Amino acid sequence: MNQKSGMVLRILSIFESGLFLKILSVFITGLWIAGLILGNISIILLAILLLIALSVVLYIHRDNLQEIFQTDSNVIVEDERTQLINEKAATMTFGIFVAVIIYVGIVLIALRDSYPQLLQAGYTLFIAAVFCFILYFTSRAYYTRKF
């Protein structure tokens, strides 16, 4: 019984390793792309199931994520300057991306008389932009309270 539990713990530790999680993430992304290209809903459903399983593992180990994904804890990977640069670049990227989504949505809705089939795409882009704003402000409020 003790030998079985030790083997089970070793198998679970493989699933919790950073390399396995990275490989699984790439595999899930590949399934999404293959499912969308082939138009096969079963591949997309498999990707969703794997994504849910990955999310559960990441949620359970949310406090150890830095240790899981960091290869050597003695090596300094980045400093405060690098973090600040990354944060500024991410904020700029987010702003430009949402602005482009909104502008393309406006153009598609403005062309509704000439191209009525694009009206739904325009509204979808607006909904995506609103979702991005909600996600941004929710995560900003969360991290403001956390730190």
Side-chain angles (χ1 to χ4, degrees):
M1 183 76 175
N2 192 10
Q3 187 179 15
K4 277 187 173 181
S5 65
M7 185 172 22
V8 169
L9 287 176
R10 272 186 290 185
I11 291 172
L12 287 176
S13 69
I14 291 171
F15 289 118
E16 295 168 359
S17 73
L19 179 61
F20 178 78
L21 293 175
K22 290 175 188 176
I23 292 170
L24 183 62
S25 175
V26 169
F27 181 71
I28 292 171
T29 304
L31 283 177
W32 279 110
I33 293 170
L36 291 174
I37 289 173
L38 298 174
N40 191 342
I41 191 70
S42 60
I43 295 175
I44 294 173
L45 289 175
L46 178 64
I48 290 172
L49 288 174
L50 288 174
L51 185 64
I52 290 170
L54 179 64
S55 299
V56 169
V57 170
L58 291 177
Y59 181 76
I60 290 171
H61 299 287
R62 64 186 177 275
D63 296 331
N64 303 353
L65 287 180
Q66 185 175 4
E67 296 165 4
I68 289 173
F69 289 109
Q70 198 172 23
T71 55
D72 187 7
S73 60
N74 296 328
V75 177
I76 297 175
V77 177
E78 59 184 34
D79 58 357
E80 293 83 12
R81 180 178 179 274
T82 306
Q83 286 179 344
L84 180 64
I85 291 170
N86 289 340
E87 289 170 7
K88 288 186 179 281
T91 304
M92 179 65 72
T93 303
F94 171 76
I96 291 171
F97 183 71
V98 170
V100 168
I101 286 177
I102 291 171
Y103 293 138
V104 170
I106 289 171
V107 167
L108 292 178
I109 291 174
L111 294 173
R112 68 180 170 267
D113 294 333
S114 302
Y115 301 99
Q117 69 272 17
L118 297 179
L119 185 63
Q120 186 69 32
Y123 287 130
T124 303
L125 289 174
F126 272 127
I127 290 170
V130 168
F131 176 72
C132 283
F133 278 127
I134 290 171
L135 184 64
Y136 174 75
F137 289 118
T138 303
S139 61
R140 183 155 174 90
Y142 170 77
Y143 285 114
T144 301
R145 274 187 264 127
K146 185 173 179 176
F147 299 113

